[in-house]
């Protein structure tokens, strides 16, 4: 029902106030599949609304939706099976991606303990997620720590550090990483990993136009070192939801370069990308409708979650008290990354993860109202179809 609501609203056939109302059901949802579907649709909406005045109200609303299920997630031990691992990962990743304060604190606490030399057992499914949040919300020294972990990791373990490396909000480092993608002599150890790094960078906010600039500037090098078809496929995966008019022009500029190469496969794929972009723009996004819908729940969201910014460590926090200050190193070499940072630390007290928490359903009157509302919406959807 929620998926249908998103689809109808994106085509202008349903007001987003109905979708926002339907999304409230997620506060009571605990299963993997409904959350998986919802997160896919929500991520599309987030990408389209990024850099608009509606983004922060949407973020607050989403934080409110994920709060109950996030409380049930443990950051330690086995999740209870493969499906449960996937569910834990998607919820923690979603919450940390929204800047959920407790999620960010757990991530930064954990990584600073690792930096201090404290052995911390992190479930494999959560390690990249927590490192990403720590890199995004921590200091540049966290990014350099992750880089060192990547460079010293076994070949079959390196993949888990590429995503966190791409999570940095330091624009200089992002630009350096984009140059390294096109450089076979960079610190990234294989062409496959450079492509994976490009994909991870593409998943970050504000990365679209720098990536397109890199493709334009290093078109010849990319063509020489990679199958450019793969580059175009990577662009297509993250391009269409958040394309801007400026980015559309850059796509046209890339098309000119591709046409000069006279590779029919590349030309065909680029045409496919442009078609997908146009189809994405055909989807109606009534920002005023979304703004009004979110305003209905704004007060409630702000009461439950006051801030979405990263919490600061107190000065006497044992994980950071003895950390020496490090300056940002933008020019990256393997030798520099492997230098000893002379970090001294004492073992800190790790914050205890929230215990599983079971939410209780509302009273029967509330449930009856919800049921009547959903039936009404189903009737509306059927009529519209």
């Amino acid at each position: 029902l929620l998926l249908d609501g998103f689809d109808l609203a994106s085509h202008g056939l349903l007001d987003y106030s109905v979708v926002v109302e339907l999304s409230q059901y997620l506060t009571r949802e605990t299963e993997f599949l409904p959350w998986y579907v919802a997160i896919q649709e929500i991520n599309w909406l987030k990408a389209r609304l990024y850099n608009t005045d509606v983004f922060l109200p949407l973020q607050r609303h989403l934080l409110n939706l994920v709060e109950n299920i996030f409380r049930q997630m443990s950051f330690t031990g086995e999740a209870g099976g493969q499906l449960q691992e996937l569910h834990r990962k998607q919820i923690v990743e979603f919450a940390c991606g929204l800047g959920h304060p407790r999620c960010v604190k757990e991530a930064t606490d954990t990584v600073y303990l690792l930096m201090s030399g404290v052995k911390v057992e992190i479930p494999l499914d959560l390690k990249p997620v927590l490192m990403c949040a720590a890199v995004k919300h921590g200091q540049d020294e966290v990014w350099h720590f992750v880089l060192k972990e990547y460079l010293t990791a076994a070949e079959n373990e390196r993949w888990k550090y590429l995503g966190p490396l791409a999570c940095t909000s330091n624009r200089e480092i992002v630009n350096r990483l984009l140059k390294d993608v096109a450089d076979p002599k960079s610190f990234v150890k294989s062409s496959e990993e450079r492509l994976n790094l490009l994909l991870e960078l593409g998943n970050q906010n504000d990365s679209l136009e720098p990536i397109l600039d890199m493709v334009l500037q290093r078109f010849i090098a990319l063509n020489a070192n990679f199958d450019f078809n793969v580059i175009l496929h990577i662009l297509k995966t993250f391009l269409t939801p958040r394309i801007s008019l400026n980015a559309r022009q850059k796509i046209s500029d890339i098309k000119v370069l591709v046409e000069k190469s006279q590779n029919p496969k590349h030309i065909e794929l680029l045409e496919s990308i442009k078609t997908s972009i146009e189809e994405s723009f055909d989807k109606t996004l009534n920002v005023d409708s979304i703004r009004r819908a979110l305003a209905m729940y704004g007060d409630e969201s702000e009461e439950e979650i006051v801030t979405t910014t990263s919490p600061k460590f107190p000065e006497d926090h044992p994980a950071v008290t003895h950390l020496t200050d490090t300056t940002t190193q933008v020019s990256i070499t393997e030798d520099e990354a492997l230098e000893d940072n002379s970090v001294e630390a004492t073992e800190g007290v790790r914050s205890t993860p929230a215990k599983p928490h079971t939410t209780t359903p509302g009273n029967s009157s509330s449930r009856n109202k919800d049921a009547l509302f959903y039936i009404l919406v189903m009737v509306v959807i059927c009529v519209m179809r």
Side-chain angles (χ1 to χ4, degrees), residues 138-161:
Q139 303 297 319
D140 287 341
E141 62 187 359
V142 179
W143 185 89
H144 287 285
F145 168 76
V146 175
L147 174 63
K148 185 174 180 179
E149 292 292 294
Y150 164 80
L151 292 171
T152 57
E155 183 177 354
N156 64 342
E157 294 286 315
R158 292 199 301 259
W159 63 269
K160 69 180 65 172
Y161 300 104

Side-chain angles (χ1 to χ4, degrees), residues 212-220 257:
L212 294 177
D213 287 335
M214 183 274 290
V215 173
L216 284 169
Q217 294 164 8
R218 299 177 179 273
F219 181 80
I220 295 176
L257 294 175

